[in-house]
DNA sequence: TCGAGAACTTGATCAGGATCAAGGTTTCCA
DNA sequence: TGGAAACCTTGATCCTGATCAAGTTCTCGA
């Protein structure tokens, strides 16, 4: 596989700065971070860490899509987070991974060695603040997702997922919104607590009912975002999935 | 209702200090906190805050049990957190509540006015650190719960819930473990993403199969914790619900 | 101690989504 | 460019947990 190295050469041309853990860092602080960071690219489908592995780093997603998931002994699994560019991976103060992290597409991470990074958080209060913000945003998103998993119908689950993707990845096109789904049907089913067959059927139903237009299997157009919002049930204040 | 005021007179006799947000505070810092805090007791069943309400405080649970929940327009609801003594409520840096908070039993909270509390977190690094720890622990618990909601059977859900209660509330008794359930069957169903009838039936089934002994409707004994662990599916590393 | 309401249990039936099974597309590389 | 594998769709059937409907057992105040 020819693999283009997508790593930015330095923080100055980094595409995710505004939302990342380092968003409020001064040039000087960035220089400090530079000493403890390294970029690495993972192939689509490869594993970044497995549950129980020692975690020697934390990282930011620079490009691509990763998933956080948890499995049961008999093979049942549930995705518990979707990691898009600027999202943060890892947990200062914890030695081993609590979940599996998997690259879904080709994935570039900006890694920080954990020990020195912890020193930075302890001494740099705005990094610590940013970390709290990130953790609390993810907590809100996780709880929102609990409502989805526990109480929503299959159709509502699909609509909610499309809504998240539309908000985070969509681009306006005339009346509607255009986007490319970041996940396969299979990964969608893992995320939504459904089977792949149910995902496929509900996508077909939403298409039949004019809620979305499919072009191939990943490219979709949402002609009317409010219609989709209705279908999603009760996402009144907007899901902002971590 | 005769209502005994359970509020401790001061931090020195506070039962939840070791695990609370103020666990690492010096006496001096406690004096500072003392100026911005107040105790308040809520009757069982009463609402502490509703989603969308302005949040003017953060708080620690001192005694009793509260729930965090989220509802849909048509009445469906999902509990997204169970708050036991020492757990923290609220989110610095957010103006309105993202979820409903309800007192399940008589509940005593130690409130801190939000604005001055935010000042404390900004200037006291170990409070900020404790806040990160708490948020990340809750995030882990929420993600663990997502696996339960998305993939576990009704029987496994009940067993997982009992396991959490046993770990956090149980006391050893001979071979087994004894505890009083903190929730009604109805609240359990909200928590587990089930109906009350299913909860009742599965409790009966677990009793029939000797996994638990019921005494009345809330007092239970677990003769064999490992047996319960098996029934819960895959809680290998231990659920520590926030 | 009685009575009313809340909390809980149990039974019968139903339905949404899982499972089993087969076939159709797309992608990718040899 | 052809073939295999991955990915996706569609159909038939099944099963777990929801829903509907009575009862029963607690709890607590009068």
């Amino acid at each position: 596989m020819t693999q283009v190295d997508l790593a930015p050469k330095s923080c100055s041309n980094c595409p995710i700065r505004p939302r990342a853990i380092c968003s409020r860092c001064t040039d000087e602080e960035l220089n400090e971070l530079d000493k403890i960071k390294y970029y690495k690219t993972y192939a689509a489908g490869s594993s970044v860490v497995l549950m129980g592995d020692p975690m020697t780093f934390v990282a930011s997603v620079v490009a691509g899509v990763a998933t956080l998931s948890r499995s049961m002994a008999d093979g049942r699994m549930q995705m518990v987070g979707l990691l898009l560019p600027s999202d943060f991976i890892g947990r200062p103060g914890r030695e081993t991974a609590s979940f599996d992290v998997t690259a879904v597409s080709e994935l570039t991470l900006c890694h920080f060695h954990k020990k020195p990074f912890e020193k930075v958080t302890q001494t740099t209060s705005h990094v610590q603040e940013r970390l709290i913000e990130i953790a609390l945003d993810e907590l809100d998103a996780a709880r929102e997702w609990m409502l989805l998993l526990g109480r929503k119908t299959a159709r509502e689950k699909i609509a909610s997922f499309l809504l998240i993707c539309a908000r985070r990845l969509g681009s306006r096109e005339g009346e509607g919104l255009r986007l490319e789904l970041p996940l396969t049907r299979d990964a969608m089913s893992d995320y939504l607590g459904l089977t792949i067959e149910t995902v496929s059927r509900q996508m077909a139903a939403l298409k039949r009912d004019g809620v979305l237009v499919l072009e191939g299997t990943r490219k979709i157009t949402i002609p009317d975002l409010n219609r989709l919002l209705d279908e999603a049930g009760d996402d009144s204040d907007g899901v902002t999935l971590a």
Side-chain angles (χ1 to χ4, degrees), chain A:
Chain A
M1 176 189 304
T2 39
Q3 182 176 293
V4 181
D5 190 358
L6 299 167
K9 286 290 166 283
S10 79
C11 295
S12 59
N13 69 345
C14 177
I16 60 161
R17 272 293 299 294
R19 298 199 39 183
I21 185 82
C22 51
S23 63
R24 297 200 277 269
C25 284
T26 62
D27 286 349
E28 196 176 348
E29 286 163 351
L30 289 177
N31 280 337
E32 280 309 301
L33 282 178
D34 200 50
K35 293 177 192 158
I36 64 168
K37 81 168 199 265
Y38 59 102
Y39 294 101
K40 191 166 159 190
T41 296
Y42 298 82
S46 66
S47 172
V48 177
V49 287
L50 293 176
M51 185 176 144
D53 281 357
M55 279 294 277
T56 60
F57 63 85
V58 299
S60 290
V61 177
V62 176
V65 181
T67 63
L68 258 186
S69 63
R70 171 119 194 178
S71 309
M72 294 174 67
D74 62 8
R76 280 177 285 175
M77 75 102 91
Q78 175 65 50
M79 207 183 291
V80 298
L82 184 63
L83 300 163
L84 301 179
S86 81
D87 284 334
F88 187 75
I89 295 172
R91 135 153 217 183
R94 167 148 302 184
E95 294 308 314
T96 58
S98 310
F99 304 96
D100 296 336
V101 181
T102 311
V104 163
S105 64
E106 186 166 299
L107 176 75
T108 301
L109 299 183
C110 173
H111 300 248
F112 301 98
H113 294 288
K114 188 147 129 319
K115 280 274 178 278
F117 183 83
E118 282 169 0
K119 216 157 262 159
V120 172
T121 60
Q122 274 159 28
T123 54
T124 317
S125 121
H126 67 77
V127 170
Q128 208 166 41
E129 275 166 36
R130 186 79 192 98
L131 200 54
I132 292 182
E133 288 169 14
I134 288 175
L136 290 174
D137 283 346
E138 287 193 17
L139 188 55
D140 280 355
R143 286 176 165 159
E144 184 77 42
W145 210 248
M146 287 170 68
L147 174 66
L148 176 143
L149 290 173
R151 296 301 182 195
K152 289 193 178 178
T153 64
R155 177 186 258 246
E156 289 168 336
K157 287 180 176 182
I158 299 285
S160 301
F161 174 72
L162 295 178
L163 204 53
I164 289 167
C165 294
R167 290 217 170 99
R168 192 99 186 250
L169 304 169
S171 57
R172 293 211 53 80
E173 160 154 313
E175 286 302 285
L177 227 135
R178 193 175 175 57
L179 70 136
E180 184 153 357
L181 293 178
L183 299 182
T184 63
R185 299 286 186 271
D186 197 47
M188 283 175 66
S189 72
D190 289 336
Y191 200 20
L192 299 168
L194 296 171
T195 57
I196 185 175
E197 294 93 334
T198 299
V199 170
S200 192
R201 272 187 257 270
Q202 295 299 333
M203 288 289 290
L206 288 172
K207 178 184 174 182
R208 199 161 44 242
D209 298 346
V211 179
L212 58 82
V213 179
L214 263 172
E215 191 182 316
T217 166
R218 302 287 271 274
K219 290 194 194 88
I220 68 174
T221 306
I222 312 291
D224 179 357
L225 204 58
N226 286 322
R227 175 76 195 286
L228 185 63
L229 227 151
D230 276 355
E231 292 285 355
D234 187 16
D235 286 332
S236 40
D237 64 342
V239 180
T240 50
L241 192 67

